Amino acid sequence: MKTMTCRQLGGPCDLELSAETADEIIKAQDRHLREAARHGDKAHEPAHEEMKGRWKHPVKAMGWYRGVKKTFAQLA
């Protein structure tokens, strides 16, 4: 199990998210952003919008995805 923060994944806060794989941690971040935005958290809205449109720009999205996977792999 590895842990990354919302901020490490491009969000605005230091909430710790834990998962076994990089894909699972990305899904946890997506859920966190959706929940925060649904509850009116203005600080999370830009990251939530970015998440919703992530794959509209596949080259940029793949760079982000590869970066998360690399960071996750380097965690102890």
Side-chain angles (χ1 to χ4, degrees):
M1 185 76 68
K2 297 181 181 183
T3 301
M4 293 178 75
T5 65
C6 174
R7 192 175 314 278
Q8 286 175 296
L9 294 159
C13 75
D14 293 316
L15 176 74
E16 293 184 344
L17 304 160
S18 297
E20 294 291 333
T21 68
D23 289 332
E24 289 174 1
I25 211 152
I26 289 168
K27 289 177 184 174
Q29 170 73 346
D30 290 351
R31 283 189 304 272
H32 166 63
L33 293 174
R34 260 193 311 278
E35 185 73 18
R38 187 172 56 220
H39 285 98
D41 185 330
K42 300 291 184 200
H44 282 79
E45 284 182 11
H48 180 247
E49 290 302 315
E50 176 87 15
M51 183 256 319
K52 288 191 326 186
R54 188 178 293 149
W55 296 106
K56 291 180 183 175
H57 307 282
V59 173
K60 181 180 175 186
M62 281 306 294
W64 173 85
Y65 179 72
R66 286 186 186 119
V68 169
K69 286 187 71 92
K70 181 179 178 182
T71 301
F72 188 84
Q74 293 171 342
L75 295 173

